[in-house]
Amino acid sequence: MTAVPQDLKGAERDGLRRFATIWSRAVYPVTATSMTRAEFEDHLYPLAELLGDALHSHPFSPAAGREVGVALVAAHCTDPEALPQILGVVESYLVLYSSEADPLPVDEGRARCSRLQHAIAAGFSRALRERTRTEQESLSRAALAAQTAVEEALHTSETRFRAVFEDATIGIGIADMDGRIRDVNGALARMFGRSEDELRRRSVNDWVHPGDATDVYRKHRELVRGERDHFRVEKPFPRPDGTVLWTNMTISLLRGAEGEPRYQLALLEDITERRLLHLRLRYEATHDELTGLPNRTLFAERLERVLSAEGPARFGLCYLDIDGFKAVNDSLGHAVGDQLLVSVAERLQSCATSPAHLVARIGGDEFVALITDPSGRDEVTELARQALAALATPITIDGRELSVRASIGIVEGPSGELGPAEVMRSADITMYRAKDAGGNRYELADPDSDARAIDRHSLTNHLPAALERDEFFLEYQPLIRMSDGRVDGAEALVRWHHPVHGRLGPDRFIPMAEHTGLIVPLGRWVLEQAVEQAREWQRQLAASGTERAPTEPLRVNVNLSPRQLHHPDLVPDTVAVLEAAGVSPDSLCLEVTESALIGADEDELKPLRQLAELGVEIALDDFGTGYSNLANLRRLPATTLKLDRSFTQGLQRHPADPVDVTFVGGIISLAHALGLRVTVEGVETEAQALQLRQLDCDTAQGWYYARPSAAKDIPAYWAQAG
């Protein structure tokens, strides 16, 4: 690190002294210490230097924060309000007053300061727990010693009893078996904020009654009857100033020489401070730090309670996700994203005005609104409408107006039928259904839609293992040459033999494979299998003696998905497969959908051009569905057009629709003029086949000729002529 001039070091010391002064002013009022404020400031200054050194350390380590947290607890900074004051000053002033000699970048300084705050809080909490545990053990030992001493004193020496009774640090009270208080010590009087005489005029029964926590009243009755020697409970008591005293109370039965019940002895430990700290920690554990809303933990507890309610009760759940929130974070930064989330939380909270409504942030840009026992579905949908309306007004952040859209999934129904996981899954599925429908809307859960989504999810998860377990297989549909009716080739069609759902067509799994990227290894497998089958067919064809020109190999057509088209290994993988099978490139035709090539630039077309130059045939599949035009074909490396089946529907009738005939004939003529062959899909009738032959179509496929079948069935079509 570069040496710091002495004057800057002095400035830094002055800055840290000012920081220590501000720190002491904020923390001293909530510190139980015997030091004066000036002494307390001097005590804090070395801690300020420790934090300042840590802030500028290279490499940075927040470990010093934990030492500071421990030191503050040792200095009796144990009030419930102490930690927020400690961290607040560190957050606001540490970077400001410790950066004059060695300034840090703003973001780096804030990040380091934040980590130091976390370390301080961790050290503080750990030290406070240890202190509390030590005090509890000490108090428990004192209580046990006091109880033993009191029992001995009652039977031996009043003088010795009084010494223990008055000097004990825990509250002690003695009452007869009728509940009349006979004596209390000063510690108990201070706990209750009353005088000893005032307490002696009270009765135990004033504080122990049927409205107490579970079992307190029953256990006290058993002790009075002599059936129990002691019991311990955590119990609150009201103070005259309106505050609540929380105690760990132990009630013991003191018996006479003959074993008869004589007195009730109460030992009370003040745990108010500890309980307040526990409540604060509980709040922090169940509420979102950014928005202040209940978090996933508290929401899950409430949902579990609502769904397990007994009797005829209902629930309603709105699961909300902000549309396009990632774009806000990516373009404007996470700080703006956080401010947006805070504003969204405030608007959602303003819609949930009923005690039966709970709005929570469960993560990221996801919020939920839980309605306990709604009057009906309308109440839940109305809350969703109000939420969308509240978000409709743009949110202004740093001078920018940000429009907020959200998708909401609604689940409403009777409690007890679904578990929390099932409700959340249904809400999540429904929310994504709203998002897929364009967003800025809500959708109601539908069991059938849920089942389809779960089915898709199951298939998606099973896809990788299916390829490893050889669950996929190929069928082939012949391509018929229209001029003589002979087989020109066959299109490879992949199928999935699912162990549960049985035979699945490509429409059930190809979109999922494309989305997950599994289409690349699956496509490579299809290519290998199809090319290997083409080699086997050619061997069988040569052995059969069937006449066929050597320049016209039996071709296999393989579909190529958009993701495969853009994969960098497309060309080397295809060449490797052809070489491994030992077949010529013109034995393979790759079918690419028209929609995948619309708007493709030269870099995107380059792999297809390379394959075409090697001799691989390229077919433009589903032509006519992508709103392209024949003029674009000049720049595409295609050798074949495959007309979509929708163009041949009008050719089924006899005579055929003249408009459809003219239209299809025009495409075929123009394609031929560009040097392209034409294949027509979906030929199902003799009328279609006859008309296409008259229009000079090159090849066709469809159920009229053959349905897709196993590879072993294809040779039967070789010798057939149309």
Side-chain angles (χ1 to χ4, degrees), residues 461-483:
N461 287 339
H462 194 74
L463 268 171
L467 189 57
E468 296 175 2
R469 291 197 288 260
D470 294 327
E471 294 177 5
F472 294 102
F473 64 96
L474 295 182
E475 289 186 334
Y476 298 87
Q477 186 173 38
L479 290 158
I480 306 302
R481 196 161 52 202
M482 302 296 288
S483 61

PDB file of all heavy atoms in Angstrom, residues 461-483:
ATOM      1  N   ASN A 461     -37.959 -33.465 -17.408  1.00  0.00           N
ATOM      2  CA  ASN A 461     -36.975 -34.025 -16.489  1.00  0.00           C
ATOM      3  C   ASN A 461     -36.515 -35.418 -16.930  1.00  0.00           C
ATOM      4  O   ASN A 461     -35.385 -35.826 -16.651  1.00  0.00           O
ATOM      5  CB  ASN A 461     -37.567 -34.111 -15.076  1.00  0.00           C
ATOM      6  CG  ASN A 461     -37.672 -32.755 -14.424  1.00  0.00           C
ATOM      7  OD1 ASN A 461     -36.992 -31.815 -14.819  1.00  0.00           O
ATOM      8  ND2 ASN A 461     -38.525 -32.635 -13.423  1.00  0.00           N
ATOM      9  N   HIS A 462     -37.389 -36.135 -17.618  1.00  0.00           N
ATOM     10  CA  HIS A 462     -37.073 -37.506 -18.009  1.00  0.00           C
ATOM     11  C   HIS A 462     -36.285 -37.575 -19.318  1.00  0.00           C
ATOM     12  O   HIS A 462     -35.687 -38.615 -19.626  1.00  0.00           O
ATOM     13  CB  HIS A 462     -38.373 -38.307 -18.161  1.00  0.00           C
ATOM     14  CG  HIS A 462     -38.174 -39.785 -18.245  1.00  0.00           C
ATOM     15  ND1 HIS A 462     -37.848 -40.548 -17.145  1.00  0.00           N
ATOM     16  CD2 HIS A 462     -38.238 -40.645 -19.293  1.00  0.00           C
ATOM     17  CE1 HIS A 462     -37.736 -41.813 -17.515  1.00  0.00           C
ATOM     18  NE2 HIS A 462     -37.969 -41.906 -18.814  1.00  0.00           N
ATOM     19  N   LEU A 463     -36.271 -36.466 -20.062  1.00  0.00           N
ATOM     20  CA  LEU A 463     -35.635 -36.480 -21.381  1.00  0.00           C
ATOM     21  C   LEU A 463     -34.169 -36.915 -21.364  1.00  0.00           C
ATOM     22  O   LEU A 463     -33.778 -37.791 -22.149  1.00  0.00           O
ATOM     23  CB  LEU A 463     -35.757 -35.096 -22.029  1.00  0.00           C
ATOM     24  CG  LEU A 463     -36.970 -34.859 -22.932  1.00  0.00           C
ATOM     25  CD1 LEU A 463     -37.058 -33.396 -23.317  1.00  0.00           C
ATOM     26  CD2 LEU A 463     -36.894 -35.732 -24.177  1.00  0.00           C
ATOM     27  N   PRO A 464     -33.304 -36.331 -20.507  1.00  0.00           N
ATOM     28  CA  PRO A 464     -31.886 -36.726 -20.575  1.00  0.00           C
ATOM     29  C   PRO A 464     -31.677 -38.224 -20.344  1.00  0.00           C
ATOM     30  O   PRO A 464     -30.906 -38.865 -21.051  1.00  0.00           O
ATOM     31  CB  PRO A 464     -31.240 -35.883 -19.456  1.00  0.00           C
ATOM     32  CG  PRO A 464     -32.164 -34.716 -19.284  1.00  0.00           C
ATOM     33  CD  PRO A 464     -33.540 -35.258 -19.527  1.00  0.00           C
ATOM     34  N   ALA A 465     -32.386 -38.773 -19.338  1.00  0.00           N
ATOM     35  CA  ALA A 465     -32.226 -40.197 -19.048  1.00  0.00           C
ATOM     36  C   ALA A 465     -32.796 -41.052 -20.170  1.00  0.00           C
ATOM     37  O   ALA A 465     -32.308 -42.168 -20.424  1.00  0.00           O
ATOM     38  CB  ALA A 465     -32.908 -40.542 -17.723  1.00  0.00           C
ATOM     39  N   ALA A 466     -33.819 -40.548 -20.865  1.00  0.00           N
ATOM     40  CA  ALA A 466     -34.433 -41.319 -21.945  1.00  0.00           C
ATOM     41  C   ALA A 466     -33.443 -41.579 -23.071  1.00  0.00           C
ATOM     42  O   ALA A 466     -33.422 -42.671 -23.660  1.00  0.00           O
ATOM     43  CB  ALA A 466     -35.658 -40.575 -22.479  1.00  0.00           C
ATOM     44  N   LEU A 467     -32.615 -40.606 -23.376  1.00  0.00           N
ATOM     45  CA  LEU A 467     -31.618 -40.791 -24.425  1.00  0.00           C
ATOM     46  C   LEU A 467     -30.574 -41.823 -23.997  1.00  0.00           C
ATOM     47  O   LEU A 467     -30.136 -42.650 -24.795  1.00  0.00           O
ATOM     48  CB  LEU A 467     -30.950 -39.452 -24.746  1.00  0.00           C
ATOM     49  CG  LEU A 467     -30.023 -39.413 -25.959  1.00  0.00           C
ATOM     50  CD1 LEU A 467     -30.755 -39.842 -27.211  1.00  0.00           C
ATOM     51  CD2 LEU A 467     -29.436 -38.013 -26.131  1.00  0.00           C
ATOM     52  N   GLU A 468     -30.194 -41.788 -22.722  1.00  0.00           N
ATOM     53  CA  GLU A 468     -29.210 -42.745 -22.223  1.00  0.00           C
ATOM     54  C   GLU A 468     -29.782 -44.161 -22.185  1.00  0.00           C
ATOM     55  O   GLU A 468     -29.045 -45.135 -22.351  1.00  0.00           O
ATOM     56  CB  GLU A 468     -28.747 -42.330 -20.828  1.00  0.00           C
ATOM     57  CG  GLU A 468     -28.018 -40.998 -20.785  1.00  0.00           C
ATOM     58  CD  GLU A 468     -27.689 -40.567 -19.365  1.00  0.00           C
ATOM     59  OE1 GLU A 468     -28.003 -41.347 -18.438  1.00  0.00           O
ATOM     60  OE2 GLU A 468     -27.126 -39.472 -19.187  1.00  0.00           O
ATOM     61  N   ARG A 469     -31.094 -44.284 -21.956  1.00  0.00           N
ATOM     62  CA  ARG A 469     -31.709 -45.609 -21.832  1.00  0.00           C
ATOM     63  C   ARG A 469     -32.276 -46.123 -23.164  1.00  0.00           C
ATOM     64  O   ARG A 469     -33.042 -47.088 -23.177  1.00  0.00           O
ATOM     65  CB  ARG A 469     -32.821 -45.565 -20.780  1.00  0.00           C
ATOM     66  CG  ARG A 469     -32.315 -45.386 -19.360  1.00  0.00           C
ATOM     67  CD  ARG A 469     -33.391 -45.761 -18.355  1.00  0.00           C
ATOM     68  NE  ARG A 469     -34.446 -44.778 -18.315  1.00  0.00           N
ATOM     69  CZ  ARG A 469     -34.543 -43.822 -17.371  1.00  0.00           C
ATOM     70  NH1 ARG A 469     -33.623 -43.751 -16.420  1.00  0.00           N
ATOM     71  NH2 ARG A 469     -35.542 -42.971 -17.382  1.00  0.00           N
ATOM     72  N   ASP A 470     -31.935 -45.457 -24.256  1.00  0.00           N
ATOM     73  CA  ASP A 470     -32.360 -45.891 -25.594  1.00  0.00           C
ATOM     74  C   ASP A 470     -33.883 -46.009 -25.713  1.00  0.00           C
ATOM     75  O   ASP A 470     -34.415 -46.966 -26.279  1.00  0.00           O
ATOM     76  CB  ASP A 470     -31.722 -47.241 -25.952  1.00  0.00           C
ATOM     77  CG  ASP A 470     -30.216 -47.138 -26.099  1.00  0.00           C
ATOM     78  OD1 ASP A 470     -29.744 -46.079 -26.544  1.00  0.00           O
ATOM     79  OD2 ASP A 470     -29.517 -48.106 -25.758  1.00  0.00           O
ATOM     80  N   GLU A 471     -34.583 -45.009 -25.165  1.00  0.00           N
ATOM     81  CA  GLU A 471     -36.040 -45.020 -25.252  1.00  0.00           C
ATOM     82  C   GLU A 471     -36.548 -44.407 -26.552  1.00  0.00           C
ATOM     83  O   GLU A 471     -37.730 -44.504 -26.867  1.00  0.00           O
ATOM     84  CB  GLU A 471     -36.649 -44.289 -24.042  1.00  0.00           C
ATOM     85  CG  GLU A 471     -36.399 -45.004 -22.714  1.00  0.00           C
ATOM     86  CD  GLU A 471     -36.934 -44.224 -21.526  1.00  0.00           C
ATOM     87  OE1 GLU A 471     -37.587 -43.167 -21.747  1.00  0.00           O
ATOM     88  OE2 GLU A 471     -36.710 -44.656 -20.377  1.00  0.00           O
ATOM     89  N   PHE A 472     -35.673 -43.762 -27.322  1.00  0.00           N
ATOM     90  CA  PHE A 472     -36.067 -43.176 -28.599  1.00  0.00           C
ATOM     91  C   PHE A 472     -35.866 -44.201 -29.729  1.00  0.00           C
ATOM     92  O   PHE A 472     -34.984 -45.061 -29.670  1.00  0.00           O
ATOM     93  CB  PHE A 472     -35.253 -41.918 -28.901  1.00  0.00           C
ATOM     94  CG  PHE A 472     -35.521 -40.787 -27.950  1.00  0.00           C
ATOM     95  CD1 PHE A 472     -34.629 -40.489 -26.921  1.00  0.00           C
ATOM     96  CD2 PHE A 472     -36.669 -40.027 -28.065  1.00  0.00           C
ATOM     97  CE1 PHE A 472     -34.880 -39.460 -26.039  1.00  0.00           C
ATOM     98  CE2 PHE A 472     -36.926 -38.989 -27.186  1.00  0.00           C
ATOM     99  CZ  PHE A 472     -36.032 -38.715 -26.170  1.00  0.00           C
ATOM    100  N   PHE A 473     -36.708 -44.088 -30.737  1.00  0.00           N
ATOM    101  CA  PHE A 473     -36.551 -44.949 -31.909  1.00  0.00           C
ATOM    102  C   PHE A 473     -37.017 -44.175 -33.145  1.00  0.00           C
ATOM    103  O   PHE A 473     -37.673 -43.129 -33.026  1.00  0.00           O
ATOM    104  CB  PHE A 473     -37.342 -46.254 -31.746  1.00  0.00           C
ATOM    105  CG  PHE A 473     -38.839 -46.072 -31.666  1.00  0.00           C
ATOM    106  CD1 PHE A 473     -39.640 -46.221 -32.805  1.00  0.00           C
ATOM    107  CD2 PHE A 473     -39.458 -45.767 -30.461  1.00  0.00           C
ATOM    108  CE1 PHE A 473     -41.018 -46.070 -32.734  1.00  0.00           C
ATOM    109  CE2 PHE A 473     -40.834 -45.616 -30.382  1.00  0.00           C
ATOM    110  CZ  PHE A 473     -41.620 -45.768 -31.521  1.00  0.00           C
ATOM    111  N   LEU A 474     -36.674 -44.666 -34.321  1.00  0.00           N
ATOM    112  CA  LEU A 474     -36.994 -43.980 -35.575  1.00  0.00           C
ATOM    113  C   LEU A 474     -38.003 -44.775 -36.389  1.00  0.00           C
ATOM    114  O   LEU A 474     -37.981 -46.009 -36.403  1.00  0.00           O
ATOM    115  CB  LEU A 474     -35.734 -43.765 -36.410  1.00  0.00           C
ATOM    116  CG  LEU A 474     -34.651 -42.838 -35.837  1.00  0.00           C
ATOM    117  CD1 LEU A 474     -33.510 -42.715 -36.829  1.00  0.00           C
ATOM    118  CD2 LEU A 474     -35.220 -41.477 -35.487  1.00  0.00           C
ATOM    119  N   GLU A 475     -38.873 -44.054 -37.056  1.00  0.00           N
ATOM    120  CA  GLU A 475     -39.726 -44.602 -38.101  1.00  0.00           C
ATOM    121  C   GLU A 475     -39.431 -43.825 -39.379  1.00  0.00           C
ATOM    122  O   GLU A 475     -38.888 -42.709 -39.332  1.00  0.00           O
ATOM    123  CB  GLU A 475     -41.202 -44.484 -37.724  1.00  0.00           C
ATOM    124  CG  GLU A 475     -41.614 -45.418 -36.606  1.00  0.00           C
ATOM    125  CD  GLU A 475     -43.104 -45.396 -36.334  1.00  0.00           C
ATOM    126  OE1 GLU A 475     -43.751 -44.361 -36.630  1.00  0.00           O
ATOM    127  OE2 GLU A 475     -43.621 -46.396 -35.832  1.00  0.00           O
ATOM    128  N   TYR A 476     -39.781 -44.403 -40.494  1.00  0.00           N
ATOM    129  CA  TYR A 476     -39.444 -43.793 -41.777  1.00  0.00           C
ATOM    130  C   TYR A 476     -40.690 -43.748 -42.661  1.00  0.00           C
ATOM    131  O   TYR A 476     -41.473 -44.696 -42.690  1.00  0.00           O
ATOM    132  CB  TYR A 476     -38.345 -44.590 -42.479  1.00  0.00           C
ATOM    133  CG  TYR A 476     -37.051 -44.628 -41.710  1.00  0.00           C
ATOM    134  CD1 TYR A 476     -36.827 -45.612 -40.746  1.00  0.00           C
ATOM    135  CD2 TYR A 476     -36.054 -43.680 -41.932  1.00  0.00           C
ATOM    136  CE1 TYR A 476     -35.645 -45.656 -40.029  1.00  0.00           C
ATOM    137  CE2 TYR A 476     -34.869 -43.717 -41.218  1.00  0.00           C
ATOM    138  CZ  TYR A 476     -34.669 -44.701 -40.269  1.00  0.00           C
ATOM    139  OH  TYR A 476     -33.500 -44.736 -39.559  1.00  0.00           O
ATOM    140  N   GLN A 477     -40.861 -42.615 -43.368  1.00  0.00           N
ATOM    141  CA  GLN A 477     -41.954 -42.490 -44.335  1.00  0.00           C
ATOM    142  C   GLN A 477     -41.342 -42.302 -45.726  1.00  0.00           C
ATOM    143  O   GLN A 477     -40.554 -41.375 -45.940  1.00  0.00           O
ATOM    144  CB  GLN A 477     -42.864 -41.316 -44.003  1.00  0.00           C
ATOM    145  CG  GLN A 477     -44.098 -41.240 -44.898  1.00  0.00           C
ATOM    146  CD  GLN A 477     -45.081 -40.172 -44.439  1.00  0.00           C
ATOM    147  OE1 GLN A 477     -44.681 -39.109 -43.993  1.00  0.00           O
ATOM    148  NE2 GLN A 477     -46.368 -40.458 -44.569  1.00  0.00           N
ATOM    149  N   PRO A 478     -41.705 -43.186 -46.681  1.00  0.00           N
ATOM    150  CA  PRO A 478     -41.098 -43.109 -48.020  1.00  0.00           C
ATOM    151  C   PRO A 478     -41.423 -41.793 -48.723  1.00  0.00           C
ATOM    152  O   PRO A 478     -42.500 -41.220 -48.565  1.00  0.00           O
ATOM    153  CB  PRO A 478     -41.726 -44.297 -48.752  1.00  0.00           C
ATOM    154  CG  PRO A 478     -42.200 -45.213 -47.679  1.00  0.00           C
ATOM    155  CD  PRO A 478     -42.607 -44.327 -46.541  1.00  0.00           C
ATOM    156  N   LEU A 479     -40.461 -41.354 -49.527  1.00  0.00           N
ATOM    157  CA  LEU A 479     -40.628 -40.218 -50.435  1.00  0.00           C
ATOM    158  C   LEU A 479     -40.757 -40.804 -51.848  1.00  0.00           C
ATOM    159  O   LEU A 479     -39.839 -41.493 -52.331  1.00  0.00           O
ATOM    160  CB  LEU A 479     -39.431 -39.280 -50.351  1.00  0.00           C
ATOM    161  CG  LEU A 479     -39.309 -38.478 -49.040  1.00  0.00           C
ATOM    162  CD1 LEU A 479     -37.891 -38.016 -48.832  1.00  0.00           C
ATOM    163  CD2 LEU A 479     -40.251 -37.292 -49.080  1.00  0.00           C
ATOM    164  N   ILE A 480     -41.902 -40.582 -52.490  1.00  0.00           N
ATOM    165  CA  ILE A 480     -42.215 -41.220 -53.766  1.00  0.00           C
ATOM    166  C   ILE A 480     -41.910 -40.276 -54.927  1.00  0.00           C
ATOM    167  O   ILE A 480     -42.338 -39.116 -54.932  1.00  0.00           O
ATOM    168  CB  ILE A 480     -43.691 -41.651 -53.809  1.00  0.00           C
ATOM    169  CG1 ILE A 480     -44.012 -42.528 -52.606  1.00  0.00           C
ATOM    170  CG2 ILE A 480     -43.995 -42.365 -55.116  1.00  0.00           C
ATOM    171  CD1 ILE A 480     -43.162 -43.780 -52.497  1.00  0.00           C
ATOM    172  N   ARG A 481     -41.174 -40.784 -55.909  1.00  0.00           N
ATOM    173  CA  ARG A 481     -40.859 -40.003 -57.107  1.00  0.00           C
ATOM    174  C   ARG A 481     -42.094 -40.002 -58.004  1.00  0.00           C
ATOM    175  O   ARG A 481     -42.592 -41.063 -58.406  1.00  0.00           O
ATOM    176  CB  ARG A 481     -39.665 -40.626 -57.827  1.00  0.00           C
ATOM    177  CG  ARG A 481     -39.008 -39.729 -58.858  1.00  0.00           C
ATOM    178  CD  ARG A 481     -37.623 -40.224 -59.170  1.00  0.00           C
ATOM    179  NE  ARG A 481     -37.631 -41.645 -59.533  1.00  0.00           N
ATOM    180  CZ  ARG A 481     -36.567 -42.426 -59.450  1.00  0.00           C
ATOM    181  NH1 ARG A 481     -35.421 -41.940 -58.996  1.00  0.00           N
ATOM    182  NH2 ARG A 481     -36.646 -43.702 -59.807  1.00  0.00           N
ATOM    183  N   MET A 482     -42.613 -38.823 -58.324  1.00  0.00           N
ATOM    184  CA  MET A 482     -43.879 -38.720 -59.042  1.00  0.00           C
ATOM    185  C   MET A 482     -43.771 -39.191 -60.491  1.00  0.00           C
ATOM    186  O   MET A 482     -44.760 -39.647 -61.083  1.00  0.00           O
ATOM    187  CB  MET A 482     -44.386 -37.274 -59.026  1.00  0.00           C
ATOM    188  CG  MET A 482     -44.589 -36.716 -57.621  1.00  0.00           C
ATOM    189  SD  MET A 482     -45.860 -37.575 -56.694  1.00  0.00           S
ATOM    190  CE  MET A 482     -47.328 -36.997 -57.522  1.00  0.00           C
ATOM    191  N   SER A 483     -42.599 -39.125 -61.073  1.00  0.00           N
ATOM    192  CA  SER A 483     -42.453 -39.477 -62.497  1.00  0.00           C
ATOM    193  C   SER A 483     -42.668 -40.966 -62.751  1.00  0.00           C
ATOM    194  O   SER A 483     -43.230 -41.351 -63.773  1.00  0.00           O
ATOM    195  CB  SER A 483     -41.077 -39.049 -62.999  1.00  0.00           C
ATOM    196  OG  SER A 483     -40.056 -39.718 -62.259  1.00  0.00           O
TER     197      SER A 483
END
